[in-house]
Amino acid sequence: AQKVTQAQTEISVVEKEDVTLDCVYETRDTTYYLFWYKQPPSGELVFLIRRNSFDEQNEISGRYSWNFQKSTSSFNFTITASQVVDSAVYFCALSEAERSGGGADGLTFGKGTHLIIQP
Amino acid sequence: DTEVTQTPKHLVMGMTNKKSLKCEQHMGHRAMYWYKQKAKKPPELMFVYSYEKLSINESVPSRFSPECPNSSLLNLHLHALQPEDSALYLCASSHRTGTGPGNTIYFGEGSWLTVV
């Protein structure tokens, strides 16, 4: 069975600090997909990134960066120079590749990390 | 702005009421989902529709009845709910079911449901 662990329940930092959100996953599949979503207080889950298991290249998008390491089954997310608008709950999620006949559906979410950026 | 639109954003209903949550997407996606999210918890999958047919029902009580009238619309009919059903209900869509290359699940803003 697949599992996603976000050990940090809540993180509070002062604006402009860098912050890293940890995500550790478990799966038996060799092909799988990892995601990060942001959920502000309004409720919408905003897609941030998808990474497949064959692509370990780190990615940077503006102030956001992701570090995928299969050796440690981790997919960590770093926000550089944090801003108050980054305050939200961040979910890491895992999905296995589509199986024949229609496959794994939906996402297995971690419990989320509540990030608080103080001005 | 999200391309998955949910209405209403807030709903308060009594335990004897019948109401519906609506979801619409115009991204040409053929898979649509309902998730339930309780406070301080991650979303939990309820139903999956693939090409307008129900493909997954995660043992959801019959007081929740999904409907997919066409490829762009997804409804969740609510009847005889309990206070513990109060939650955020999220609709989502993706190109298709499964998570092959290029397939990402996009969520709406959710409908906040309170059962009194």
Side-chain angles (χ1 to χ4, degrees), chain A residues 33 35 37 39 41-45 47 50 91 95-98 102-107 109-112 114, chain B residues 2 33 35 37 41-43 45 48 56 88 90 96-109 112:
Chain A
Y33 298 82
F35 301 78
Y37 286 87
Q39 188 174 40
S42 62
E44 178 188 359
L45 274 166
F47 166 73
R50 182 190 70 247
F91 289 99
S95 188
E96 296 169 341
E98 184 172 23
D105 294 289
L107 299 162
F109 286 90
K111 292 186 176 181
H114 184 197
Chain B
T2 181
Y33 311 77
Y35 283 80
Q37 187 179 20
K41 298 288 187 181
L45 184 65
V48 180
I56 290 182
L88 176 65
L90 291 159
R96 54 180 171 74
T97 56
T99 52
N103 200 33
T104 293
I105 297 178
Y106 295 94
F107 288 83
E109 291 186 352
W112 295 90

Side-chain angles (χ1 to χ4, degrees), chain A residues 1 5 11-13 20-21 32 44 51 56 58 70 78 84-86 95 97 110 113 118-119:
Chain A
T5 300
I11 299 175
S12 181
V13 300
T20 295
L21 309 182
Y32 51 88
E44 178 188 359
R51 173 69 68 218
E56 288 194 70
N58 292 330
K70 288 181 72 172
T78 297
V84 173
V85 294
D86 296 326
S95 188
T113 297
Q118 300 179 18

